[in-house]
Amino acid sequence: MKKIYSKFTKERAKNFQIETAIYETEEGKKVSKRPLNDEAKEHIERMHQNYIYFRAHGSEYYAPCQKAGKEILFSHIEGDTFYNRLLTAIRQERIDQFFILLQDYQDFVRNFCVQDTEEFQMTEEFRQVFGDQQGLEGKEAGRMLDIDLTLDNIILEEKTGKPQIIDYEWVFAFPIPVDFIFYRTVLAMYVKHGQELTQLVDPENLYELFHLNAEDRKIYQSMNEHFNAYVNGGEEAYERIIKPYEKKTYEWERLQGGSIQFTQILVSKDMNFKEEDSMILRLDESDEEIKAVMDLTKYEHLGVIRFDPLNGPCEIEMGKIYLYVGETKKEIFPKDLKNNAVLNRGSIYLFDDEDPMFLIPMDPEMKWDKIEVNFRFLLRDQLKKDQIQEMARLVNDTENKLARKLVELESRCEQIGELKKEILKLQERLKFIESTKMYRWFIKKKVKKFFDLD
């Protein structure tokens, strides 16, 4: 059995710290969740009990798991997530498909993932996790509600298309408003792809689709903040943990305008980038020279680092990129990295994509303390996508013209070279002829004939 992926949640309170790993086995891939300490054993056991509960109540949409000592094991499900399909619709600007997918997702959650509902009433258990919230009384609520039913936690099986829920870690026995699930889903969408979304759809249309009014959103935002504090060990611990990531923790209300600009560094073992494994640096309008630094000490066996200079089209000049171990540093050269720039001239990169990026391959056996990326903006804000594409078109047209001229010149040079070769051959033949007796006899005969005529 070979481990091919591992993720640790050490930023959480000790009783929620677990490892999620993927293994290659003779029977195929297996997913394991295990506690990282004795305090977290109960959390793993509760996940297993959640699965037993859902199966006992007739749900066939929760991915099966089984106990194996301290850990629980899942079969690896091949397929696509709701999230990936939605992202494809966004990038293809298929607004019809976008809303169909969201409606399918909402119908699935309401029809198959929410057990018998009741009117919400505040409980002490609710206060401990989500805070003392006012204004929720009478809302549709459910017990044993999986509040993490986000788009990327539901896989559509490759062969059957059947939805499978791969994460039921956060399930609570007390009543929780059903709409809180959809608030967290929309929040996750806008944290990851806010700018792309706002260009495709009016945020109010999404609010309307999920029946989320302004007052409810404020309450759910507060609930989410209390929940994060609960998972990460209290408000002080939560504030400490999110500080390096604070540029990515904006709630949807603040992201929907698409005006927040930021630089981001993400890390992964297998190109499966997640927001929680990233550093986001918010940018002010006046920022030009940027130094982005990310702490890597908690990551093992990194396979790739992704650097996004901006959440939108831009032109940058790359500076130095360093990986550190203590005070020792190794320089990484931008020219050796993969990128999605539309144009590149030396250290200058022009991006017309809404998600510009560089990919830095890593040696999984190396352990680094931090990465530092230096660059400066040449154009941003005022440089729109259509302008970049026009600039790229003009440069490409110029390059094509120069290439054609170069081909013509090379062709002429080849012709000249062939003529030179012919001249050399003729010169060699002439030298040979001049050296022969026949040639000398022929010349004498010509001379004699000349004088005989005289």
Side-chain angles (χ1 to χ4, degrees):
M1 190 164 66
K2 178 183 177 184
K3 185 185 290 188
I4 59 175
Y5 169 85
S6 180
K7 176 187 173 185
F8 294 87
T9 58
K10 290 185 177 180
E11 74 278 5
R12 297 178 179 177
K14 291 195 72 175
N15 53 319
F16 298 131
Q17 291 181 0
I18 66 172
E19 179 198 18
T20 301
I22 301 177
Y23 293 89
E24 288 276 14
T25 72
E26 292 181 358
E27 296 81 26
K29 292 179 182 177
K30 297 287 184 182
V31 179
S32 159
K33 289 183 182 287
R34 69 174 183 88
L36 294 178
N37 52 62
D38 289 339
E39 290 94 327
K41 290 180 181 177
E42 184 180 346
H43 188 58
I44 292 292
E45 175 60 31
R46 192 158 47 246
M47 277 188 257
H48 184 239
Q49 292 302 318
N50 290 339
Y51 169 68
I52 293 174
Y53 171 87
F54 291 127
R55 282 290 179 168
H57 284 74
S59 178
E60 57 184 30
Y61 297 104
Y62 289 82
C65 73
Q66 60 185 11
K67 284 292 295 294
K70 296 180 181 180
E71 62 185 339
I72 53 176
L73 294 175
F74 305 75
S75 294
H76 188 269
I77 300 172
E78 298 293 340
D80 208 359
T81 62
F82 266 111
Y83 174 77
N84 285 340
R85 293 192 179 186
L86 196 75
L87 189 58
T88 298
I90 292 171
R91 290 179 171 169
Q92 292 179 351
E93 298 183 350
R94 290 289 309 277
I95 192 167
D96 54 341
Q97 187 65 20
F98 174 81
F99 277 107
I100 289 171
L101 284 166
L102 283 182
Q103 190 60 61
D104 288 346
Y105 159 75
Q106 184 176 195
D107 291 343
F108 171 71
V109 172
R110 289 192 180 278
N111 295 333
F112 301 106
C113 306
V114 178
Q115 305 296 324
D116 295 336
T117 60
E118 60 190 82
E119 289 191 357
F120 176 81
Q121 290 186 352
M122 182 66 66
T123 64
E124 185 56 36
E125 294 88 349
F126 182 95
R127 288 190 182 93
Q128 291 175 6
V129 179
F130 299 106
D132 191 359
Q133 306 295 338
Q134 303 300 316
L136 294 174
E137 285 71 16
K139 286 193 172 298
E140 182 188 20
R143 297 175 186 266
M144 294 301 290
L145 202 66
D146 183 352
I147 67 167
D148 216 16
L149 285 170
T150 52
L151 295 159
D152 50 357
N153 280 335
I154 304 174
I155 292 181
L156 303 170
E157 281 187 313
E158 193 170 62
K159 293 182 179 179
T160 66
K162 178 182 175 182
Q164 288 285 282
I165 299 164
I166 60 172
D167 193 342
Y168 33 86
E169 184 176 4
W170 301 110
V171 177
F172 298 94
F174 51 83
I176 301 172
V178 174
D179 286 344
F180 183 56
I181 295 175
F182 301 120
Y183 171 81
R184 285 170 53 82
T185 293
V186 175
L187 174 62
M189 289 165 54
Y190 269 84
V191 166
K192 294 178 180 179
H193 298 285
Q195 193 168 38
E196 288 178 286
L197 274 175
T198 51
Q199 290 179 355
L200 179 67
V201 61
D202 186 333
E204 284 302 323
N205 290 337
L206 281 182
Y207 285 134
E208 185 178 345
L209 177 67
F210 288 103
H211 312 290
L212 297 167
N213 62 46
E215 287 186 12
D216 290 344
R217 295 195 300 265
K218 289 180 181 179
I219 299 172
Y220 295 147
Q221 176 181 334
S222 177
M223 282 177 60
N224 201 52
E225 290 171 352
H226 279 84
F227 170 68
N228 287 332
Y230 166 78
V231 171
N232 294 299
E235 292 185 7
E236 290 184 3
Y238 177 55
E239 291 299 323
R240 181 180 70 253
I241 289 164
I242 69 169
K243 189 166 184 60
Y245 308 95
E246 59 186 0
K247 304 304 185 281
K248 78 174 180 65
T249 59
Y250 303 114
E251 300 294 349
W252 185 28
E253 302 289 341
R254 298 165 65 192
L255 289 167
Q256 65 179 14
S259 59
I260 294 175
Q261 293 190 327
F262 54 85
T263 293
Q264 186 172 23
I265 300 175
L266 305 98
V267 300
S268 172
K269 296 178 181 178
D270 56 1
M271 293 294 290
N272 183 24
F273 296 104
K274 298 182 178 180
E275 294 296 318
E276 58 263 31
D277 296 324
S278 74
M279 181 287 302
I280 294 187
L281 177 65
R282 182 175 179 176
L283 302 172
D284 294 326
E285 291 182 4
S286 59
D287 290 338
E288 290 186 3
E289 302 280 345
I290 308 297
K291 177 189 285 189
V293 180
M294 182 175 180
D295 181 7
L296 302 177
T297 53
K298 70 176 182 178
Y299 298 105
E300 301 283 347
H301 308 298
L302 282 180
V304 65
I305 295 179
R306 177 178 138 190
F307 162 61
D308 299 356
L310 189 69
N311 55 322
C314 61
E315 183 181 25
I316 68 168
E317 181 178 12
M318 283 297 300
K320 302 288 187 180
I321 303 175
Y322 296 115
L323 287 166
Y324 286 85
V325 176
E327 296 301 316
T328 304
K329 62 184 179 182
K330 174 186 176 182
E331 184 172 357
I332 306 295
F333 297 97
K335 65 181 179 62
D336 298 327
L337 309 181
K338 293 183 179 180
N339 63 78
N340 61 347
V342 66
L343 288 172
N344 170 222
R345 296 290 179 273
S347 61
I348 308 298
Y349 295 84
L350 182 64
F351 298 91
D352 72 342
D353 197 277
E354 297 294 336
D355 197 11
M357 70 179 71
F358 293 86
L359 293 178
I360 305 171
M362 303 291 289
D363 181 351
E365 301 305 315
M366 291 293 295
K367 183 75 171 66
W368 301 98
D369 292 339
K370 67 178 179 180
I371 183 171
E372 173 189 320
V373 182
N374 298 274
F375 70 99
R376 72 184 183 95
F377 286 108
L378 301 179
L379 289 171
R380 156 186 157 201
D381 289 337
Q382 74 273 25
L383 194 62
K384 303 300 182 184
K385 184 172 181 177
D386 55 351
Q387 292 176 292
I388 294 179
Q389 291 176 335
E390 179 62 17
M391 290 170 63
R393 186 188 65 77
L394 291 172
V395 172
N396 285 329
D397 285 349
T398 302
E399 286 184 336
N400 289 335
K401 289 178 182 177
L402 289 173
R404 287 196 293 271
K405 289 293 184 183
L406 182 61
V407 170
E408 291 178 8
L409 288 172
E410 288 176 346
S411 177
R412 291 184 182 181
C413 287
E414 288 178 1
Q415 292 174 3
I416 292 171
E418 292 299 323
L419 288 173
K420 285 182 176 179
K421 289 179 183 178
E422 288 297 320
I423 291 171
L424 288 173
K425 287 180 181 179
L426 290 172
Q427 287 176 337
E428 290 297 323
R429 286 185 65 190
L430 183 58
K431 287 180 181 178
F432 172 76
I433 292 171
E434 287 177 341
S435 66
T436 61
K437 291 181 179 180
M438 179 65 71
Y439 175 77
R440 290 194 293 272
W441 175 81
F442 179 76
I443 291 298
K444 285 181 180 179
K445 188 174 181 181
K446 283 285 186 182
V447 171
K448 185 175 183 299
K449 183 178 180 182
F450 175 78
F451 282 108
D452 287 345
L453 287 174
D454 290 343

